[in-house]
Amino acid sequence: MTDAPIIELRDVHLAFGEKEILAGVTLCLAPRERLVVLGQSGCGKSTLLRLLLGILKPTAGSVQFQGREVPQMRRRQLNAMRQKIGMVYQNSALISSLSVRDNLALPLEELTDKTPAEIDALVDEKLTLVGMADTRDKMPAELSGGMRKRIGLARGIIMDPEVILYDEPSAGLDPVISSVIDQLIIELSEKIGATSVIVTHEMESAFKIATRMAMLFQGRIIAEDTPEGFKKSSDPVVAQFISGDTEGPILQGGK
Ligand SMILES: Nc1ncnc2c1ncn2[C@@H]1O[C@H](COP(=O)(O)OP(=O)(O)O)[C@@H](O)[C@H]1O
Ligand SMILES: [Mg+2]
């Protein structure tokens, strides 16, 4: 890899009280890749994303964004970093009292000095990218789960982020809508040239989306490879996770 990494985690530890969730995570993100981080429910995937956004601080280790230590950033630097990172939440996290247009406009109104007309144009552009242009005046409650998910994607890219973080983007969606979302993630990363981190436990999506994969298990990244490499992995944890087999090391460790 010749490009400097956008995000770099080195030996990151994180504990909630006595419970150590991350126990030495080391992970690099190169520009424009789509890194899928796999792991069981409760293994710390959302926690990892919160660390990248500087919402949580590691107990030990280094979290860098474009060469700068995230935990040491002051409010202003944190805000500047967060403007470069789009976050797509598991539950879409739209504000129910605001229209689709106003949900998307919010970050632009709060963080930029764009005029209402400029904001409208950007909102329309992003809605068109996710195929939802005709929903701009709807309320979130009027939309299906899959549509809300797409709106959540549009909101995640409203600031033209360099990095997009996706938390379980296809969880709870039917297989067809799930494929639509997978396809959108690929398209968005290519159209806007963004670097993506997708955390998921859904293998089918993972293999469709990923340019690289990493597996989080018992607080560490135990495997990192191309999707092809993952498919052929002889690591018993990876093999069990991919196959969904009940026999293997995964349940032994956790239960
Ligand atoms: N703020 C918190 N305080 C205490 N425990 C937490 C907190 N956030 C998450 N956890 C715990 O950390 C573990 C990892 O959570 P999470 O990152 O949400 O997992 P995942 O996203 O992989 O399902 C879980 O056991 C969860 O209960
Ligand atoms: Mg989670």
Side-chain angles (χ1 to χ4, degrees), residues 2-251:
T2 49
D3 286 326
I6 295 196
I7 288 171
E8 196 168 5
L9 282 81
R10 277 201 189 287
D11 200 21
V12 169
H13 291 249
L14 186 127
F16 292 119
E18 295 281 277
K19 198 167 156 198
E20 188 162 61
I21 306 298
L22 303 179
V25 169
T26 295
L27 196 62
C28 256
L29 191 69
R32 289 174 177 260
E33 69 177 337
R34 290 188 299 274
L35 175 69
V36 169
V37 179
L38 292 166
Q40 287 172 281
S41 284
C43 77
K45 301 183 299 298
S46 299
T47 300
L48 194 66
L49 297 182
R50 280 187 217 115
L51 270 173
L52 300 182
L53 286 167
I55 298 167
L56 288 173
K57 284 186 193 224
T59 337
S62 158
V63 180
Q64 294 195 343
F65 180 83
Q66 295 179 333
R68 287 190 161 171
E69 277 298 323
V70 177
Q72 285 164 22
M73 285 183 185
R74 292 170 178 277
R75 172 73 28 204
R76 230 163 49 109
Q77 292 172 305
L78 262 183
N79 285 341
M81 176 189 79
R82 287 176 189 160
Q83 289 191 38
K84 297 183 188 175
I85 304 181
M87 176 76 202
V88 178
Y89 294 92
Q90 189 163 0
N91 57 5
S92 306
L94 301 175
I95 298 172
S96 59
S97 60
L98 296 181
S99 69
V100 167
R101 185 263 174 208
D102 290 348
N103 264 285
L104 266 63
L106 204 57
L108 295 167
E109 285 165 351
E110 287 183 348
L111 302 168
T112 72
D113 46 20
K114 294 193 187 305
T115 65
E118 288 170 331
I119 290 177
D120 279 331
L122 283 169
V123 167
D124 286 340
E125 179 197 317
K126 299 316 189 215
L127 284 177
T128 303
L129 270 180
V130 300
M132 290 278 110
D134 53 349
T135 64
R136 74 187 299 279
D137 298 318
K138 297 238 187 290
M139 301 302 283
E142 297 177 81
L143 306 173
S144 68
M147 291 163 99
R148 281 202 291 269
K149 204 76 168 197
R150 290 209 222 181
I151 307 299
L153 254 64
R155 195 194 42 192
I157 57 166
I158 196 74
M159 300 285 290
D160 289 323
E162 292 174 39
V163 177
I164 314 175
L165 308 178
Y166 296 91
D167 197 348
E168 310 259 8
S170 47
L173 301 175
D174 71 55
V176 175
I177 302 297
S178 177
S179 297
V180 170
I181 298 293
D182 294 342
Q183 196 52 45
L184 263 177
I185 292 173
I186 297 169
E187 276 176 36
L188 292 180
S189 90
E190 285 168 0
K191 275 189 192 150
I192 65 179
T195 307
S196 313
V197 181
I198 305 101
V199 306
T200 185
H201 60 258
E202 309 212 4
M203 292 313 305
E204 206 179 318
S205 292
F207 280 117
K208 264 190 231 155
I209 300 170
T211 58
R212 199 158 64 87
M213 294 175 135
M215 171 130 190
L216 183 61
F217 183 66
Q218 295 181 346
R220 288 194 181 82
I221 299 294
I222 57 152
E224 229 183 305
D225 208 336
T226 59
E228 295 71 38
F230 251 74
K231 275 189 189 145
K232 289 186 237 146
S233 175
S234 57
D235 183 299
V237 174
V238 174
Q240 186 187 357
F241 199 78
I242 289 176
S243 66
D245 207 333
T246 52
E247 297 293 321
I250 290 183
L251 296 177

